[in-house]
Amino acid sequence: FGSSCFGSRSTTAMDALQKLKFNLENDKEANYVMAEYVWIDGFGGLRSKTKVITGVTLPASIDDVKGRLPVWNFDGSSTGQAPGEDSEVCLKPRAVFRDPFRGGSNVMVMA
């Protein structure tokens, strides 16, 4: 394969990623943000899940979003954090940051 073959594909992919990034950062009509809850599992690995927070006026500040973040739960038996018969584990927001991957008003929640 010549470099021109890969060059045209990677340019197209980069253009698409730049357009996606622009759209995510400039979407002023949506009324939601995505909050990516991140925690350490029972094996020392990272886990995460996404909560859609609705009713948010964009652009939203960290404080606007922080006040709307609930304590959330998950099944801790699959992550080595709870026995199977009583496996509900709560995720309590402890720190909130802008999501560097999604951009815009979306946030990462350290739980």
Side-chain angles (χ1 to χ4, degrees), residues 75-86:
D75 179 1
S77 64
S78 63
T79 63
Q81 293 173 284
E85 64 275 356
D86 184 20

Side-chain angles (χ1 to χ4, degrees), residues 23-34 53 55-61 64-65 98 103-106:
N23 289 339
L24 287 171
E25 290 175 350
N26 294 290
D27 185 0
K28 305 287 189 262
E29 295 181 21
N31 68 340
Y32 66 89
V33 296
M34 290 180 279
I53 309 296
V56 177
T57 303
L58 298 180
S61 70
D64 291 341
V65 177
R98 289 271 179 229
S105 294
N106 300 302

